[in-house]
Amino acid sequence: TFLENADTNVLQAVRSGTDSVNFRLKLDLEQQDGEVHFIKLRPEPISLHNIASLILVSTLRSSPLQSLYLSVKDVYGPLLLNNKSMDGRMQTLLAELQAGLSAAVAHGSAAGAGAVSDDQTAAINSPADEFAFWRQLSSRRDVDKNLAKWARAFAEKLVSLGADFSLLEDKSLSQMYDSIDTTQAALSAVWKVVEVDPYPAKRMKNLLSVIGATICRHIQSTLGRLDLWAVALPETSIQLKEALRLCDRWMEATHELTAEEWRTDEEHPWEEGEFKDESMTLLSKRLQEIFALRAEHDELLRLLSAEERSSMDVSSCFLPFRNIEVLHYSSYAQPAWQAAKEAYDRAVQPLQQLVTNKLRRQVFASTANRPLQVLQDLRRFQGLLGRPSVARELTVERESLLAQLSSYIDRIRDEFDRKTGAYGGDNELDKDGQLGANLSGV
């Protein structure tokens, strides 16, 4: 057995159905939905004393080729290639192995050439990879002519993906806006290719996800080079607005393609439902929250003197955000973000109390005499006034201002009615039966 026989090195555990597992001493090479391998590091019997140091556990999902590629790319490759003591020749061989596995997974060479299946997308990590897939497939000698023609037609339409997404690190966020325009045009064109078999819908859905993820990573990388909590608000505001504009543009592009243009395409209709990029939506929401926090904090600072800022140590308020990756928006990162926001709220509470009193004395005090001017002044602090604690503290003042504005509007309406006679019927007609020269016939 695996436990007692020193020469039995591998135990394979394969899921069978939903609630059972089959164990095998001999590897079954048939395609499995998921399996786990227990591997002995040394040819020894297993005991309670050595099991922790003797057994290596590995998992396999989908095909062995795809699992090997992902393990090399995401685990062993980074670990070994970053090892300075590793021989240079070995690093070269490892890089070549990774490149070869990537090509094999993308082209499905393990299953034989002659078709393109939906599960050949594991190696597609960027839009440029998708273009490279079709370009390389079109030039392979071991595929049939129809498949090569099919691949060539798609590669010609996707050239811009290779160009626009190959050097992202050199592009600003505003330049990426133009790239989305060309990407949308390329996707529209490739979907309309019907001279050969149409572009697979599931593969297109994957490509849309890959493009969105690539844009998200570029936004994170670009903004990650800024200190979002220290750079002056005008500069931070420009970058955040550009990023939000980019998010909106991509979501607009996917809506136009999948909910409008492709859905009504008679020759190749889109039947997958509207594509909604969840990652882009979450990133956009996080960027809006960061922008709101910075804007509200800037409004706080405007009401504080230099001495007050120094004595109350306002620079420390953002410390909770400095200890987390604020641009990470997954469900796993959400609790840390929420905790940081709550810590920030506690830190600014004394500041909010101080500026609330200042707003009460300096702005709301003159409400009775000039409500319109007060309203205009308050526009500079609308983010701050939107904070629940500030709004709650100024409830009486806000209701008083509302009453003054309502009274002012009533006076204007009464004056308008009096002069035009629109409702009272008291206007005087001139001799020709016309309204006075200075009054409009409203």
Side-chain angles (χ1 to χ4, degrees):
T1 66
F2 178 72
L3 296 176
E4 300 169 352
N5 191 339
D7 294 327
T8 303
N9 296 321
V10 179
L11 176 66
Q12 181 185 40
V14 182
R15 187 174 64 182
S16 177
T18 58
D19 56 359
S20 63
V21 176
N22 292 331
F23 290 93
R24 300 167 182 163
L25 296 178
K26 184 177 181 181
L27 292 178
D28 186 345
L29 299 180
E30 293 182 7
Q31 183 72 29
Q32 305 293 346
D33 183 45
E35 57 187 79
V36 177
H37 303 119
F38 301 92
I39 307 167
K40 289 181 181 177
L41 297 178
R42 300 179 302 277
E44 299 176 8
I46 299 174
S47 67
L48 290 175
H49 303 290
N50 66 7
I51 188 171
S53 61
L54 185 61
I55 299 298
L56 170 69
V57 181
S58 70
T59 60
L60 189 150
R61 189 78 179 172
S62 188
S63 71
L65 176 65
Q66 180 175 320
S67 295
L68 177 60
Y69 164 68
L70 293 174
S71 295
V72 171
K73 180 178 77 74
D74 295 327
V75 181
Y76 302 111
L79 288 174
L80 294 173
L81 291 175
N82 291 328
N83 186 351
K84 296 181 180 180
S85 63
M86 187 178 181
D87 179 74
R89 182 172 176 276
M90 291 302 297
Q91 290 187 335
T92 301
L93 290 173
L94 182 60
E96 291 175 352
L97 172 63
Q98 182 174 323
L101 289 171
S102 174
V105 170
H107 299 147
S109 59
V116 175
S117 60
D118 293 330
D119 61 359
Q120 292 176 16
T121 56
I124 307 301
N125 299 305
S126 75
D129 291 339
E130 182 73 5
F131 165 67
F133 169 81
W134 294 110
R135 183 188 60 187
Q136 294 170 12
L137 187 60
S138 68
S139 61
R140 286 179 60 183
R141 296 181 180 180
D142 60 339
V143 301
D144 64 52
K145 293 181 179 180
N146 289 332
L147 182 57
K149 180 182 178 182
W150 190 42
R152 193 175 304 111
F154 293 153
E156 289 173 356
K157 302 299 184 183
L158 297 175
V159 170
S160 61
L161 266 68
D164 284 336
F165 289 91
S166 59
L167 297 173
L168 275 184
E169 62 274 10
D170 297 330
K171 289 191 174 185
S172 65
L173 295 179
S174 59
Q175 289 173 323
M176 277 299 298
Y177 195 87
D178 295 331
S179 296
I180 292 179
D181 288 340
T182 57
T183 297
Q184 181 177 353
L187 296 176
S188 176
V190 78
W191 189 257
K192 293 177 181 178
V193 174
V194 293
E195 296 80 8
V196 294
D197 288 341
Y199 201 92
K202 289 185 178 179
R203 191 173 188 96
M204 177 59 76
K205 200 170 183 178
N206 179 76
L207 179 55
L208 292 173
S209 296
V210 167
I211 294 172
T214 302
I215 296 171
C216 286
R217 290 196 299 271
H218 183 60
I219 291 173
Q220 290 172 320
S221 175
T222 301
L223 296 182
R225 293 192 288 269
L226 289 176
D227 187 339
L228 294 172
W229 309 107
V231 175
L233 181 60
E235 182 180 347
T236 306
S237 175
I238 291 173
Q239 292 295 326
L240 288 172
K241 286 180 178 178
E242 285 286 359
L244 284 166
R245 182 169 171 256
L246 199 56
C247 293
D248 290 342
R249 179 67 190 93
W250 173 243
M251 290 188 284
E252 177 188 10
T254 58
H255 172 80
E256 291 174 353
L257 290 172
T258 62
E260 297 177 5
E261 179 184 336
W262 294 349
R263 188 173 64 85
T264 57
D265 191 310
E266 295 182 358
E267 294 186 290
H268 189 198
W270 177 263
E271 299 176 346
E272 298 290 325
E274 180 182 351
F275 176 83
K276 295 185 178 180
D277 197 320
E278 183 178 351
S279 294
M280 189 69 72
T281 301
L282 292 173
L283 177 59
S284 178
K285 180 182 177 182
R286 178 61 55 82
L287 294 174
Q288 291 173 33
E289 289 182 285
I290 294 173
F291 182 81
L293 283 166
R294 281 302 316 266
E296 291 168 10
H297 194 79
D298 189 67
E299 292 171 9
L300 273 171
L301 297 184
R302 283 187 226 157
L303 290 164
L304 297 176
S305 66
E307 183 179 349
E308 289 169 333
R309 294 183 193 182
S310 176
S311 64
M312 303 192 75
D313 193 19
V314 297
S315 60
S316 66
C317 292
F318 286 135
L319 281 178
F321 299 112
R322 294 182 181 279
N323 297 325
I324 65 171
E325 295 289 347
V326 296
L327 297 175
H328 289 186
Y329 49 82
S330 71
S331 57
Y332 301 104
Q334 184 62 26
W337 169 253
Q338 193 62 37
K341 286 202 302 179
E342 292 171 359
Y344 169 79
D345 287 339
R346 291 192 296 271
V348 298
Q349 189 60 42
L351 299 178
Q352 287 182 177
Q353 188 62 51
L354 178 60
V355 299
T356 297
N357 292 331
K358 284 195 173 187
L359 283 172
R360 185 179 286 117
R361 293 194 309 268
Q362 298 175 10
V363 181
F364 283 103
S366 57
T367 298
N369 301 324
R370 49 190 188 98
L372 286 182
Q373 183 60 47
V374 171
L375 183 64
Q376 187 67 23
D377 291 341
L378 290 176
R379 291 184 64 185
R380 296 183 297 134
F381 307 104
Q382 53 186 335
L384 180 60
L385 290 168
R387 293 186 68 82
S389 59
V390 176
R392 187 167 53 252
E393 284 287 327
L394 295 173
T395 298
V396 174
E397 287 76 12
R398 291 188 300 114
E399 291 178 350
S400 175
L401 174 60
L402 178 61
Q404 292 292 330
L405 289 170
S406 297
S407 177
Y408 177 80
I409 292 172
D410 288 341
R411 291 198 304 272
I412 295 296
R413 181 185 293 112
D414 291 342
E415 182 73 9
F416 178 79
D417 292 346
R418 184 182 65 78
K419 289 184 177 181
T420 62
Y423 300 100
D426 297 330
N427 52 292
E428 295 289 339
L429 298 178
D430 62 18
K431 294 180 180 179
D432 297 323
Q434 301 295 321
L435 285 169
N438 292 328
L439 298 178
S440 63
V442 178

